[in-house]
Amino acid sequence: MTATLPSHEVAAGVTTWLSAFGDALSAGDTAAAAALFTEDCFWRDLVAFTWNIKTLEGRAAIRAMLDQTLPWVHPRGWKITDGGEPAGAGGVVEAWIDFETAAGRGRGHLRLREGRCWTLLTTLDELRGHEERRGPTRPKGVERRANPARTTWLEDREQEASELGITEQPYVVIIGGGQAGIGLGARLRQLRVPAIIIDKRSRPGDQWRSRYKSLCLHDPVWYDHMPYLKFPDNWPVFSPKDKIADWLESYTKIMELNYWPDTEATTAAYDAKAGQWAVQVERDGELLVLRPAQLVLATGMSGRPNLPDFPGMDTFRGDQHHSSAHPGPGRYRGKRCVVIGSNNSAFDICGALWENGADVTMVQRSSTNIVRSATLMDIGLGALYSEEAVASGMTTDKADMVFASIPYRIMHQFQIPLYEQMRERDQEFYDRLEAAGFEHDWGDDGSGLFMKYLRRGSGYYIDVGAADLVANGDVALARGQVDRLTEDAVVLEDGTKLPADLVVYATGYQSMNGWAAELISQEVADRVGKCWGLGSDTTKDPGPWEGEQRNMWKPTQQQALWFHGGNLHQSRHYSLYLALQLKARQAGLPTPVYGLQEVHHLR
Ligand SMILES: Cc1cc2nc3c(=O)[nH]c(=O)nc-3n(C[C@H](O)[C@H](O)[C@H](O)COP(=O)(O)OP(=O)(O)OC[C@H]3O[C@@H](n4cnc5c(N)ncnc54)[C@H](O)[C@@H]3O)c2cc1C
């Protein structure tokens, strides 16, 4: 077993592999390069080779990719990352690696089995000649010589704000100034790409402010950092929504972003000949056309409510709204509240209504995976995103790369044992929940909520206490499909009548290409197809297998149109690769895309 090999032998094995790999690539011998991989191998590339986000599965796919990309990539300089000692366990040797390409510098991760590569991750880290000015190359901030034409930082910022989008066109317009839009904006600013972020709301962070009162992030602080600027170490583990909103607002200032609040994009059209978008915006009531070369929709994966259309909704006399419009529990004390849905928002809203003295019923229409927050933190995220992980030397950057290094095709195999442990630890809790009639599942293949998130973006609850309310009957549970609404009740298909003063539709969100339909055209929305999901052929994630998340952070079937979003971790990490793709285009570098995804589903 490799676990018993001395560390110098482990390192020597990696060096031997890298040297053979580097030689084969330099010689253009793609057959030899592919032969260095195991038969069941994976190569996940984030922009470095493919100018795409792509996983190649198997030697033939790797060889085909190399045949096409090697002439322009010119990879070289493969080495073990300084200070990153390879480690071996369970027959697998892991190593962090560095390399270079014609365009820039890359980093990656390698897993070897019996001397051959099982998984390879390659990522583009920076573009040569367009490096970010950080650390030793940071801006001076001041000119230490007499200069009668001296301007201050503030004057420069004001001048930029008065010109960009008015007399000078930005290279990129980002529609949506939530965490995704501003994180990408920060990266583009560091890369000196002129960009404007527009948002129809009045203040950065308003998307979080507008959400139900009781909301705190479900993910812990170590998972949630924005690019460049980490939360201070007194930041709560689970950030209250208004606190994260204030952080995002401060972030836009600190990172010097060109952020246009109160600005709504109404339409966008691409002129392929001119290589330019015309984005109509209404800014503080004034109509304006922005003409960027690239358009990013960062309008939110949880931004387009999926509002059901039940017969009788128009006759219901109480309050009814989608969970995204739920104002909080205050006005529903003593009222009969029916919450349709059984995932995160539904549980959070049921819990807050119950705490405020409402009579609450949850309607469960399909099964849900519930994991207790503390258990998920310990078993699911602890190794990478926790105080203990930080103490053991784990950085956010490294944790993100570890996550990225696991190909989606086999990620469930890594997840299943974790969820088995979670089930075991909280068996008594699940027994109580199921005894209360709650339909619980662990995902189609037992891989739990993280895979559900990646595959379908729904179907789970990270329990922060509300599940107990259902288990012990404080929140009543009704199961089944909704047949109709009457003036004062929700009626289920089995005839159960649930009297209601309030109905909350916690029924999720629509695919992000709906934003493209709304802003650009149905034709463009259909051309790019569904966003999100892996094609895993599991519930709500129809095949065929895609290998990567549909349309996210990578070129789409519509030239110069990009989608950005996801949770805080994904927005943080993948904004780097999207920013580099945009920068390369702005700098006029060749960016031949390998394996542009095909479209299999429209929504
Ligand atoms: C209840 C809930 C809890 C969540 N909890 C977590 C969590 O714990 N951890 C986590 O990582 N993620 C969580 N998420 C998921 C995700 O992080 C959030 O949805 C987050 O807000 C997504 O950020 P975003 O920037 O992609 O989109 P959003 O925050 O939705 O921002 C999109 C912006 O686009 C703007 N916009 C839309 N259309 C236009 C237009 N035409 N013109 C101008 N502006 C426009 C909107 O005003 C909005 O501000 C949660 C989501 C929900 C709904």
Side-chain angles (χ1 to χ4, degrees), residues 15 24 31 78 165 168 312 344 354 405 407 413 441 498 501 528:
T15 307
W78 298 89
E168 274 179 34
N344 267 330
W354 180 85
S405 74
Q413 295 169 14
D441 73 272
L498 306 169
D501 303 303
V528 299

Side-chain angles (χ1 to χ4, degrees), residues 257-333:
L257 305 185
N258 293 303
Y259 189 101
W260 287 12
D262 289 316
T263 305
E264 177 160 14
T266 49
T267 63
Y270 189 62
D271 179 344
K273 253 198 195 144
Q276 205 175 58
W277 287 92
V279 185
Q280 293 255 18
V281 306
E282 197 177 324
R283 186 187 192 191
D284 287 327
E286 191 194 333
L287 292 176
L288 201 77
V289 179
L290 293 170
R291 300 189 185 282
Q294 309 287 340
L295 182 63
V296 180
L297 297 186
T299 34
M301 206 191 119
S302 308
R304 287 176 64 76
N306 189 17
L307 195 65
D309 185 18
F310 298 130
M313 278 166 76
D314 52 339
T315 61
F316 181 66
R317 286 203 307 234
D319 284 359
Q320 54 178 331
H321 44 243
H322 186 261
S323 57
S324 57
H326 181 61
R331 68 175 88 145
Y332 301 109
R333 179 171 292 278

